[in-house]
Amino acid sequence: DALFVLREILDDQRPRGWHQWGEIVWRDPKAPKFIGEMPHGWVAAGFVRAAVALFAHERGDGTLVLAAGVPLDWVRSPTGVAVTRLRTPYGPLSYTILPIGERSLVVEIAAGLEVPPNGIEVRSPASPRESVRIHSLPATIPFQY
């Protein structure tokens, strides 16, 4: 769902070609109406936060959730997915997700991050409902699908 919204938001930047979002967006893009101040920083900041959350976000219970929004198509690319030194409240986060054969993938999380109080929940891009909770780093987590 998040990726659908992300694609729709990127496709609906107005005026086209400005590559930014207005404070106000009207249903009729040709309507000669006020669009608010431009650029509108808080809208862009919200977009960046949502994009980062695809890779890692902190849940209210103190759990760091990884890969909850990473699509399987990205993982299946020849280079997989890599996150390098993403800033978190627990220090820099680095991990890779690589395809292994036709029906497997592996998530490798580097050391250097302080493990949060309730651990790290790693979600499978193949099945977002499937997850593994870890409490020490480095870690290697295989997923089958």
Side-chain angles (χ1 to χ4, degrees):
D1 291 345
L3 284 172
F4 172 78
V5 171
L6 179 68
R7 289 182 185 115
E8 291 292 312
I9 288 171
L10 285 173
D11 193 45
D12 199 29
Q13 293 176 331
R14 297 188 203 156
R16 284 211 177 278
W18 286 24
H19 304 295
Q20 56 188 326
W21 295 279
E23 178 181 15
I24 302 167
V25 177
W26 301 98
R27 186 172 298 275
D28 178 2
K30 294 180 182 180
K33 296 183 178 183
F34 179 70
I35 59 173
E37 58 196 26
M38 298 286 270
H40 211 69
W42 69 267
V43 177
F47 173 80
V48 170
R49 287 190 58 184
V52 169
L54 296 172
F55 302 99
H57 67 276
E58 184 180 21
R59 223 174 30 215
D61 67 356
T63 300
L64 187 62
V65 180
L66 306 187
V70 174
L72 185 57
D73 289 349
W74 293 1
V75 174
R76 286 184 173 157
S77 72
T79 57
V81 171
V83 172
T84 305
R85 300 188 55 77
L86 178 67
R87 291 182 183 201
T88 75
Y90 307 101
L93 168 66
S94 296
Y95 70 88
T96 59
I97 310 174
L98 298 169
I100 305 294
E102 292 292 318
R103 308 282 299 158
S104 301
L105 60 91
V106 65
V107 179
E108 295 181 349
I109 308 168
L113 177 79
E114 179 184 332
V115 177
N118 282 335
I120 300 170
E121 181 179 311
V122 182
R123 299 267 181 94
S124 169
S127 174
R129 291 182 188 91
E130 183 180 357
S131 65
V132 172
R133 186 175 300 267
I134 60 172
H135 296 278
S136 64
L137 294 173
T140 300
I141 302 106
F143 288 103
Q144 304 289 321
Y145 58 94

